[in-house]
Amino acid sequence: MATLSDMSREFTRTERSAPAREFTVLLSPTRRSARLARLLAIAHLGVWGLPSERAAQIVAELAANAVLHGRVPGRDFRLRLAAHHDGVLRIEVSDTRDDQMPCTAAPVSDAAHGRGLLIVEALADRWGVDRGPAPRKTVWAEVAHTP
């Protein structure tokens, strides 16, 4: 069985000009906020006239991971959506647990959890992780969009 490290992924940030549209929000690290992150993404992408199905699922997975694995009491996680002129939507979820990096091993077949990044891998055109500034890490994904 292939692991996520066997699959293509990007761990370097592509430099782009300023996004055409951008939305950023801080959310408390709770399951309710993970759901809210998905709903906010759907609402903003709808206002921007962009498709939201793939992006909403990616936001849901990344926000759930931030709440489950990146939670630090009293510290929020951040959702950022950036629609660029070149037709790329960048989704970023940042938390304050840079010591807790995403697991890149494929989950055991009967495991109840561990498939979120497989879903992100399947839906995103590119994805990766940026560390810093300490103690932050940002898991990001990019999908092509057409306005």
Side-chain angles (χ1 to χ4, degrees):
M1 177 174 252
T3 66
L4 285 177
S5 60
D6 296 330
M7 299 176 191
S8 65
R9 54 180 185 189
E10 297 288 331
F11 281 94
T12 57
R13 174 168 281 190
T14 302
E15 294 302 321
R16 288 198 161 82
S17 60
R21 296 179 187 246
E22 184 173 11
F23 169 73
T24 303
V25 64
L26 290 174
L27 298 163
S28 60
T30 64
R31 289 175 42 202
R32 183 179 221 166
S33 291
R35 182 174 184 272
L36 179 58
R38 182 181 62 81
L39 294 172
L40 288 169
I42 291 169
H44 280 275
L45 294 173
V47 168
W48 296 346
L50 300 177
S52 64
E53 187 174 321
R54 283 180 19 182
Q57 187 62 42
I58 291 169
V59 168
E61 296 300 333
L62 296 183
N65 282 351
V67 167
L68 184 63
H69 304 293
R71 185 179 198 284
V72 174
R75 294 188 184 167
D76 296 337
F77 73 92
R78 183 187 74 185
L79 168 65
R80 178 177 176 262
L81 305 174
H84 292 271
H85 294 285
D86 62 1
V88 172
L89 173 67
R90 185 174 175 101
I91 300 160
E92 298 178 350
V93 175
S94 302
D95 64 53
T96 54
R97 288 288 308 268
D98 66 347
D99 63 321
Q100 191 79 13
M101 296 303 284
C103 179
T104 58
V108 178
S109 62
D110 61 348
H113 302 285
R115 291 174 182 77
L117 290 178
L118 289 174
I119 293 169
V120 171
E121 175 78 29
L123 295 174
D125 297 317
R126 297 173 1 120
W127 75 277
V129 180
D130 292 333
R131 277 192 166 178
R136 187 181 319 156
K137 76 170 174 295
T138 299
V139 183
W140 57 266
E142 294 179 341
V143 294
H145 71 79
T146 52

